[in-house]
């Protein structure tokens, strides 16, 4: 079924909305919502709930999230509270449905100097979260509104999930997203596009790990031979981990920080190492997990040491299969119809799209704005993309509603 004139006319009003979208974005970005700023996250959840309520959902639910459990530098578990998530649901019984996901936290805490937007030139706005992803949330809202104002409104159900913890790996919203994945036909996440405007295809998987080594303390002078030096043992394991680099295509291991130890005159009995692993596919993940087991088993065999590993592949690799490929093709064709040449390509970055795919939901995860300098005070959104991406996403939604996406449910 081709793109029809009523679809294009349903998208026409968006053309003139650039200035309004920019003004809304500036207002949103001026309220800090760093992932650990709970009052800011509460406030931002209210602002976005007010915005998305204009879509007249059947139900709006504010979800309190379980605190995040992290391993402190002394090896103990600490629970950190998280902001609220918001779910908005529009049911259309017997029709396909789409899950739309976005996060309203940013990497900039309340004490970060980068707090306000600045217009750089006619086409670019610099601001915290302007591209990642307050701009994307505005695109999501505008696209769903276009669907709801179109003749296809009754043909597609939707659920919107807005999360407060994506920038710290979605520790609290992960179960929410996994449960929602099972309720829908496809998913759209509104992370920024790749810098050249393209969509993400294959995404690597990412695991964060914390290694805690316990040795035996002893006086460094009198009883050195009785000690078991946890810092040295940890250092050997860091080298063994680093040695995994280059052994398998696309797998990287990054020992990132160390802690522990103590005064110079005591053999240290405590060490902690934090590291990240990226893998291109499931079989590489299995390979590196076997290697981790081996390194751990060898380290634990040395007398006097105890070794504990926390963490895992919270975000498994996302591979373009037939269903994701069909969805990407429909998005690329929709963009082409509206005059934007797009493609999709692999990336090493990870996001909630990894989790949704792992939970069985075909999805495109960077339907948001075009931008650059993400996670830095150079973060910039290309302003015309607020309008362009809203129209592309809106057309994609209408075509899914019209039954153009041919995938097995
Ligand atoms: Zn993001």
């Amino acid at each position: 079924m081709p793109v029809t004139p009523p679809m294009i006319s349903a998208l026409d009003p968006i053309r003139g909305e650039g200035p309004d979208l920019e003004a809304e974005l500036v207002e949103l970005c001026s309220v800090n919502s760093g992932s650990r700023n709970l009052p800011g996250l509460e406030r931002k959840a209210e602002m976005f709930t007010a915005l998305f309520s204009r879509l007249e959902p059947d139900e709006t639910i504010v979800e309190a999230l379980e605190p995040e459990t992290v391993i402190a530098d002394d090896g103990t578990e600490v629970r950190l509270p998280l902001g609220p998530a918001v779910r908005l649901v529009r049911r259309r019984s017997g029709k396909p449905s789409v899950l739309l996901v976005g996060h309203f936290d940013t990497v900039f805490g309340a004490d970060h100097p980068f707090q306000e937007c600045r217009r750089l030139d006619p086409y670019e706005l610099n601001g915290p979260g302007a591209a990642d992803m307050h701009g994307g949330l505005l695109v999501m809202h505008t696209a769903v509104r276009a669907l709801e104002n179109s003749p296809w409104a009754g043909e597609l159900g939707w659920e919107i999930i807005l999360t407060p913890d994506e920038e710290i790996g979605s520790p609290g919203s992960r179960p929410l997203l996994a449960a929602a994945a099972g309720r829908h036909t496809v998913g759209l996440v509104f992370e920024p596009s790749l810098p050249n405007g393209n969509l993400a295809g294959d995404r690597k998987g990412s695991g964060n790990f914390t290694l805690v080594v316990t040795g035996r303390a002893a006086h460094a002078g009198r009883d050195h031979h009785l000690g078991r030096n946890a810092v040295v043992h940890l250092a050997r394991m860091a080298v063994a981990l680093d040695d995994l680099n280059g052994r398998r295509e696309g797998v990287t291991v990054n020992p990132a920080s160390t802690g522990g130890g103590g005064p110079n005159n005591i053999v240290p009995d405590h060490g902690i190492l934090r590291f990240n692993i990226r893998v291109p596919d499931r079989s590489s993940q299995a390979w590196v997990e076997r290697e981790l087991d081996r390194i751990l088993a060898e380290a634990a065999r040395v007398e006097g040491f105890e070794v504990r590993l926390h963490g895992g592949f919270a975000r498994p690799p996302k591979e373009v299969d037939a269903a994701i490929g069909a969805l990407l093709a429909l998005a690329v064709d929709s963009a082409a119809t509206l005059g934007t040449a797009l493609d999709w390509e692999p990336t090493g970055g990870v996001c909630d799209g990894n989790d949704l795919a792992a939970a069985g939901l075909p999805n495109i995860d960077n339907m948001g704005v075009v931008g650059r300098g993400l996670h830095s005070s150079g973060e910039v959104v290309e302003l015309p993309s607020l309008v362009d991406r809203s129209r592309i996403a809106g057309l994609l939604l209408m075509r899914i509603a019209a039954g153009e996406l041919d995938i097995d449910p």
Side-chain angles (χ1 to χ4, degrees), residues 10-333:
L11 298 168
D12 266 346
I14 302 174
R15 282 176 187 276
E17 287 182 32
D20 290 348
L21 288 167
E22 182 186 351
E24 248 170 330
L25 185 57
V26 169
E27 196 184 327
L28 288 163
C29 292
S30 69
V31 174
N32 181 277
S33 53
S35 311
R36 300 292 182 197
N37 176 8
L38 295 185
L41 291 166
E42 298 265 359
R43 175 83 194 99
K44 199 60 81 64
E46 284 166 13
M47 292 171 87
F48 276 113
T49 302
L51 172 70
F52 280 88
S53 293
R54 293 185 215 156
L55 298 172
E56 298 180 2
D58 297 322
E59 217 181 336
T60 301
I61 308 123
V62 178
E63 305 255 10
L65 301 185
E66 280 293 306
E68 179 188 18
T69 302
V70 297
I71 306 298
D73 280 348
D74 65 0
T76 58
E77 289 192 353
V78 178
R79 283 162 70 78
L80 300 176
L82 298 169
V86 182
R87 288 199 302 124
L88 305 101
V89 186
R90 190 79 157 101
R91 292 185 192 84
R92 301 241 156 79
S93 89
K95 306 290 183 185
S97 66
V98 57
L99 176 65
L100 303 120
V101 174
H103 65 85
F104 56 85
D105 62 325
T106 72
V107 298
F108 308 104
D111 55 356
H112 196 283
F114 187 39
Q115 300 290 346
E116 291 292 333
C117 287
R118 200 165 48 99
R119 186 71 174 275
L120 297 185
D121 61 42
Y123 303 106
E124 292 190 330
L125 182 78
N126 167 236
D132 185 12
M133 63 181 277
H134 294 357
L137 291 174
L138 289 177
V139 167
M140 183 204 288
H141 173 261
T142 310
V144 176
R145 195 197 57 206
L147 167 77
E148 290 296 303
N149 291 336
S150 81
W152 290 271
E155 303 300 317
L156 187 67
W158 45 261
E159 176 173 355
I160 292 168
I161 300 187
L162 309 173
T163 66
D165 60 345
E166 196 278 338
E167 296 292 6
I168 50 173
S170 305
S173 49
R174 176 164 294 110
L176 213 62
L177 296 174
R183 295 195 283 266
H184 300 283
T185 321
V186 291
L188 298 176
V189 184
F190 287 77
E191 291 288 353
S193 73
L194 300 178
N196 61 6
N198 276 344
L199 301 174
D202 294 317
R203 281 189 185 268
K204 283 190 174 185
S206 172
N208 287 313
F209 299 85
T210 304
L211 189 61
V212 181
V213 176
T214 308
R216 191 186 303 142
H219 191 288
R222 285 179 306 182
D223 295 324
H224 184 268
H225 62 290
L226 297 178
R228 292 291 177 273
N229 191 315
V231 169
V232 173
H233 205 51
L234 189 89
R236 286 192 203 102
M237 294 181 77
V239 171
L241 287 167
D242 184 56
D243 283 345
L244 297 178
N245 286 307
R247 286 191 44 207
R248 189 161 167 133
E249 181 74 31
V251 176
T252 54
V253 183
N254 184 42
S257 78
T258 55
N264 268 356
N265 60 350
I266 299 175
V267 177
D269 65 351
H270 168 69
I272 185 163
L273 171 70
R274 300 180 198 274
F275 61 100
N276 176 264
I277 303 181
R278 304 269 165 148
V279 294
D281 49 45
R282 296 268 178 179
S283 63
S284 301
Q285 181 181 327
W287 173 81
V288 85
E289 282 172 336
R290 280 195 304 276
E291 290 295 314
L292 270 184
D293 287 345
R294 176 185 61 77
I295 291 169
L296 236 65
E298 282 170 12
R301 268 202 294 276
V302 184
E303 186 272 324
F305 291 101
E306 190 198 315
V307 178
R308 279 184 296 137
L309 184 67
H310 301 266
F313 280 93
R315 290 192 157 145
K318 175 180 174 186
E319 296 170 68
V320 175
D321 58 12
I324 296 177
L327 183 59
L328 281 164
L330 195 63
V332 164
D333 187 66

